[in-house]
Amino acid sequence: MKLIKTISVSILIIAGCQIVLAQNKQVPKAYMFGFVASFNDSTVYFTDIQEMDNVWVTKKKDMIAGKSNYSYQLRDFFARERNLPNRTCVVIGSVKRKDVEKKYAKMKQQYIYNKKGTYDVRYLPESEFKFTPLDLSEESEPIKAEKPKKEKKSKKDGQRTPRDGKTPSPNK
């Protein structure tokens, strides 16, 4: 039994230590827009759909890589230029403009034609804010996979702790 546990743990460790390559590629054009909201007020902001040159995307699904960095650009703009810190910023993008336009229209409809009518929707034109492309060429290096989770230890001889939380006496 101990041998089987040792072998299975060693297999998990070997499998967990394999190196996974980050799969990013650079495309000539991509499209994205930003959405900014706050839990403290009802004002939401939409940026224009912007065309970006030389954007990094994932190889598998053509999703924009580094979206969090783009949302930080938007958040920093609102903190510095508009004096509106602590905003929740979301960046939505794709390689296909049609996909971005669908998502943009859906989100606008969700906030403009709200039944309660409680949102103040404002637009941020490209002349005021423009996303700057990121250089993720350094991040395409190999990264390590996550560590495997530890297995729970089972009780010996089928002994369990009772539901009342008291441990049984060893004489039983």
Side-chain angles (χ1 to χ4, degrees), residues 90-167:
V90 178
V91 174
I92 296 165
S94 177
V95 177
K96 299 175 185 173
R97 185 173 180 92
K98 190 175 183 180
D99 292 345
V100 175
E101 287 173 347
K102 281 183 184 179
K103 291 176 186 177
Y104 188 75
K106 186 176 181 180
M107 284 189 74
K108 269 179 43 177
Q109 184 177 10
Q110 201 172 18
Y111 285 95
I112 291 176
Y113 302 114
N114 187 11
K115 292 178 184 176
K116 296 178 184 176
T118 58
Y119 294 106
D120 178 19
V121 179
R122 297 184 184 178
Y123 297 98
L124 190 63
E126 194 171 342
S127 60
E128 288 186 37
F129 174 77
K130 182 158 177 61
F131 291 107
T132 56
L134 301 173
D135 182 20
L136 299 178
S137 58
E138 297 168 358
E139 290 186 14
S140 61
E141 295 176 2
I143 55 173
K144 292 184 180 179
E146 294 181 21
K147 294 181 181 179
K149 295 181 179 179
K150 294 182 181 179
E151 293 181 19
K152 292 183 179 179
K153 295 181 181 179
S154 61
K155 300 281 183 179
K156 293 181 182 178
D157 300 328
Q159 293 179 354
R160 294 178 150 183
T161 353
R163 290 187 179 195
D164 60 359
K166 297 178 184 174
T167 53

Side-chain angles (χ1 to χ4, degrees), residues 48-76:
D48 290 336
I49 296 176
Q50 299 179 12
E51 182 178 308
M52 304 267 306
D53 294 328
N54 299 325
V55 176
W56 289 87
V57 296
T58 59
K59 277 186 183 178
K60 217 172 200 179
K61 296 190 178 186
D62 281 342
M63 295 174 59
I64 306 281
K67 278 188 184 179
S68 60
N69 292 327
Y70 290 112
S71 65
Y72 287 141
Q73 288 179 16
L74 191 55
R75 188 189 67 187
D76 291 342

